Amino acid sequence: MESILLHRAGPGVTVQDTGRPGFLAQGLSRGGAADRLALEEGAALLGQDPGLAAIEIAGSFLSLEVSANTYIALTGAPMRASQDGAELRWHASHLLPAGARLDLTSLAGGYSYVHVGGGLAAEVILGARAVHLASGLGAMLNAGARLPVGPYAGRQSGMILTPLDRFDGGLLRVVATPQTHLFPRSEIERFGCTTFRKDARGNRMGQRLIVDGAGFGLEMGLSILSETIVPGDIQITGDGAPFVLLSECQTTGGYPRIGTVLPCDLPRLVQAKVGADLQFRFVTHEDALAFERAEAVRRAGLRKEIRPMIRDPRDMHDLLSYQLVSGVTSGDDLEREMT
Amino acid sequence: MNGAENRDMPAFPRVSPLGVDGLLVSFGDQLSEAANRAALAFRAALDSESLAGIEETSTSLTSAYLRFDLARTDHAQLRAALAPLLASRDWFQAGLPHGRRLWHVPAAFDMTVAPQFEEAAALAGLTPAAAVEMICAAPLRVQTIGFAPGQPYLGELPKDWDIPRQKGLTPHVPEGALVVAIRQMVLFSVATPTGWRHIGQTALRLFKPDRADPFLLRPGDEVLFQPVSSDALEKIRATAKDGGAVAERVG
């Protein structure tokens, strides 16, 4: 079986997929990629199932070697990427020839992904390959790890995708929770017009935000009954700062939740740089559902958004490794572009 | 809606949206035996009804949660579908789940392994000896499993233990830690930060992902703590299966 050998791995390098739904009643949250959209983008770039497992890199570094010709795609937070010293484009697919070495270094943090054609054939535990650090399901990857790669029928490289813009913070849409009413109306309004900053304290379980000025704490907040949590919930802890729960969050919790970030806006939070400005805006549940459905349609159409990388042949030191004749498209791209 | 729409809250059971793709059916905002049994029974009924579009269900202490496929249904449709089920019986009269077990669980309360025990006992207005005696006097019921895999919320403790969570977080309590707040205890299945006070330690492993049945406890089970020294607990951890826990059928 083809495999990938890790030569160097920084902290926070894990195998991730779309997670493990179905265990909420047993206290196990779904987990999976911190930026689920990046999985979809990788799948589009390689023309494969978004449920396949990829490597997630949480703002650190990774060097790996492939045992055979391997198709890869790079998505999520851009990193400095090179193949045997030659720079590789991010948000793109590439063919790494057998024995090639890929070096990745973080530029500005965030969650980055290396997808391989065929997906990582890592061990399946309770129905998924995703490592769930908070639950002790699997562990971070270390140098020396060897990851098997699944079979890949495609031959898709040299393709690029313009990612959804989500790397500079901005607006996060939220819906009310069953506990929003516990907050005074004036506090909810103040929450909606406050600019927060992304804290350095964040991980796959949740992300803290910095609030300049008064926090949003409730005196009764330390005594309310623990209740079901969903990813995106904005929990107000004892210090009054918002803490947004993410993919690997707990399934229940007792801090009051002022709102829930829409799933389609979570990648914007996850990928914002530390210190970036973030605001929240309440929307109705009806509007939220419409936004979420629209994003599902957009994601489903990502495969039509990919296009060949246009490069100067003089820069292509590995020209012969490209599929120059038998392309990967269905052949009607020109017509489609013109219509 | 700016959160204002549901300010005039209807009585229980109360159905509220939770997130973009879920509903929470609450049977109370204070913990009670009846509300807890109602939540467990309603979730069981939801699972046997298999309403269109429901992907997953769970319970918390006094609520049932359902997550739906937003490509197939929405809050309003499901709310309408739930109404006849909610009206079909008095959920507050529901019995406990079947197949319940009573677990005898060794636990240590020494300050070496339970650093906040004396602080919590003082908040409860009890001497350390009286606090241990009270905690171990009667079985506590697994009211729900949540927070982390296989992790029980246990209750209900006598009124003395109605103490709030801490303002700050304790950065790290180990697996098997017993923590307390608002007349409840939680046994941690993983090492974790927590806002609850760490007052006891067990050698339980509540989540074993490599087992066919990875979760030790189920809602409805009961747990009776047996006080042991921290030295005795370490011996149990080294030699006994399941951290020395022994189960018997009770219902």
Side-chain angles (χ1 to χ4, degrees):
Chain A
M1 192 180 242
E2 274 184 49
S3 66
I4 288 175
L5 174 64
L6 303 192
H7 286 302
R8 297 186 323 138
V13 177
T14 57
V15 172
Q16 293 299 335
D17 57 18
T18 50
R20 206 173 264 105
F23 293 99
L24 284 183
Q26 284 82 29
L28 175 59
S29 59
R30 175 171 179 157
D35 179 359
R36 188 119 28 109
L37 174 58
L39 291 186
E40 303 265 358
E41 291 170 344
L45 282 165
L46 290 169
Q48 64 184 8
D49 180 351
L52 292 172
I55 302 175
E56 178 178 280
I57 306 156
S60 64
F61 58 86
L62 181 70
S63 295
L64 59 82
E65 182 185 324
V66 296
S67 71
N69 289 357
T70 303
Y71 292 85
I72 64 160
L74 304 170
T75 70
M79 300 179 81
R80 179 171 296 117
S82 62
Q83 175 203 322
D84 298 311
E87 199 173 315
L88 287 183
R89 189 162 173 173
W90 204 260
H91 304 301
S93 61
H94 306 277
L95 172 60
L96 300 182
R101 178 174 168 131
L102 176 70
D103 291 292
L104 305 174
T105 314
S106 178
L107 289 171
Y111 289 89
S112 310
Y113 296 85
V114 181
H115 314 261
V116 295
L120 298 172
E123 188 189 0
V124 175
I125 306 172
L126 299 177
R129 296 189 162 91
V131 166
H132 197 297
L133 296 171
S135 298
L137 274 180
M140 291 186 194
L141 293 169
N142 293 314
R146 193 176 278 282
L147 300 168
V149 173
Y152 178 51
R155 290 202 293 188
Q156 197 152 303
S157 70
M159 304 302 284
I160 56 171
L161 177 76
T162 302
L164 185 76
D165 177 20
R166 59 184 185 280
F167 301 101
D168 298 300
L171 188 69
L172 306 172
R173 291 164 296 184
V174 305
V175 287
T177 75
Q179 296 168 333
T180 302
H181 71 99
L182 297 176
F183 292 84
R185 230 170 263 189
S186 57
E187 285 291 271
I188 297 170
E189 273 162 29
R190 186 167 70 87
F191 184 79
C193 49
T194 297
T195 297
F196 299 90
R197 282 177 296 122
K198 185 162 168 176
D199 197 331
R201 281 170 279 183
N203 58 26
R204 296 177 40 76
M205 295 174 72
Q207 174 64 50
R208 190 176 183 277
L209 301 184
I210 297 167
V211 50
D212 300 314
F216 291 85
L218 284 177
E219 201 44 51
M220 67 169 302
L222 298 175
S223 300
I224 65 171
L225 197 62
S226 290
E227 189 50 275
T228 302
I229 278 178
V230 295
D233 274 3
I234 309 163
Q235 159 178 288
I236 305 293
T237 46
D239 64 2
F243 188 87
V244 186
L245 294 152
L246 299 175
S247 135
E248 240 174 53
C249 64
Q250 62 269 36
T251 62
T252 58
Y255 290 110
R257 265 69 56 63
I258 196 167
T260 307
V261 179
L262 270 55
C264 60
D265 285 359
L266 278 179
R268 182 178 297 279
L269 168 67
V270 162
Q271 297 292 20
K273 296 169 184 75
V274 168
D277 286 348
L278 291 159
Q279 294 99 28
F280 297 102
R281 179 187 295 157
F282 280 92
V283 298
T284 64
H285 284 92
E286 293 73 18
D287 285 349
L289 195 69
F291 294 140
E292 206 57 44
R293 284 174 172 161
E295 171 60 9
V297 169
R298 193 195 70 85
R299 278 197 307 262
L302 279 177
R303 281 169 197 236
K304 286 178 287 190
E305 303 291 319
I306 65 165
R307 56 195 192 278
M309 205 182 295
I310 296 166
R311 294 173 63 182
D312 185 334
R314 283 171 300 186
D315 294 339
M316 299 171 77
H317 62 98
D318 53 349
L319 194 60
L320 292 178
S321 71
Y322 282 81
Q323 293 284 334
L324 293 176
V325 180
S326 57
V328 294
T329 73
S330 53
D332 60 351
D333 301 69
L334 280 178
E335 286 102 304
R336 276 196 274 126
E337 274 178 26
M338 290 167 72
T339 51
Chain B
M1 77 171 72
N2 295 329
E5 217 168 71
N6 52 5
R7 201 162 281 274
D8 302 315
M9 305 296 274
F12 297 103
R14 174 197 295 158
V15 183
S16 325
L18 178 54
V20 175
D21 61 353
L23 284 176
L24 190 71
V25 182
S26 303
F27 294 91
D29 53 11
Q30 298 292 317
L31 182 58
S32 70
E33 174 76 16
N36 180 239
R37 281 190 273 108
L40 295 176
F42 186 73
R43 182 210 169 205
L46 263 183
D47 284 354
S48 59
E49 289 277 312
S50 48
L51 297 175
I54 294 183
E55 297 272 280
E56 177 168 16
T57 65
S58 67
T59 56
S60 58
L61 292 162
T62 59
S63 306
Y65 166 72
L66 64 89
R67 180 174 62 83
F68 60 84
D69 177 359
L70 50 78
R72 294 180 60 197
T73 186
D74 59 29
H75 290 117
Q77 272 183 38
L78 268 179
R79 198 188 270 271
L82 291 184
L85 183 59
L86 273 170
S88 67
R89 53 193 262 211
D90 181 357
W91 294 97
F92 294 98
Q93 301 298 319
L96 283 167
H98 292 294
R100 301 190 311 282
R101 299 158 299 176
L102 170 61
W103 293 87
H104 300 266
V105 177
F109 298 92
D110 321 359
M111 290 295 280
T112 49
V113 292
Q116 292 174 299
F117 178 72
E118 287 178 8
E119 177 192 337
L123 283 169
L126 298 167
T127 64
V132 171
E133 196 175 321
M134 197 180 273
I135 290 166
C136 300
L140 295 167
R141 201 148 52 69
V142 177
Q143 296 158 320
T144 190
I145 300 283
F147 191 82
Q151 186 164 299
Y153 284 76
L154 299 166
E156 185 175 37
L157 287 169
K159 283 203 173 68
D160 314 65
W161 292 96
D162 194 4
I163 62 177
R165 296 180 188 82
Q166 315 175 79
K167 267 209 155 121
L169 288 179
T170 303
H172 178 94
V173 296
E175 182 178 5
L178 184 59
V179 299
V180 70
I182 50 169
R183 299 180 68 183
Q184 287 179 294
M185 307 233 266
V186 168
L187 259 170
F188 279 116
S189 63
V190 291
T192 181
T194 180
W196 297 37
R197 288 181 177 82
H198 183 191
I199 63 155
Q201 186 63 43
T202 71
L204 284 184
R205 289 197 58 212
L206 297 158
F207 177 48
K208 295 179 180 170
D210 47 346
R211 291 237 184 126
D213 183 7
F215 306 97
L216 189 72
L217 300 177
R218 293 195 288 263
D221 283 357
E222 292 177 349
V223 175
L224 183 59
F225 291 109
Q226 300 169 319
V228 297
S229 70
S230 52
D231 290 342
L233 186 71
E234 287 320 304
K235 284 195 191 89
I236 289 168
R237 192 193 297 281
T239 54
K241 180 174 164 286
D242 288 330
V246 179
E248 56 181 295
R249 277 292 291 270
V250 288

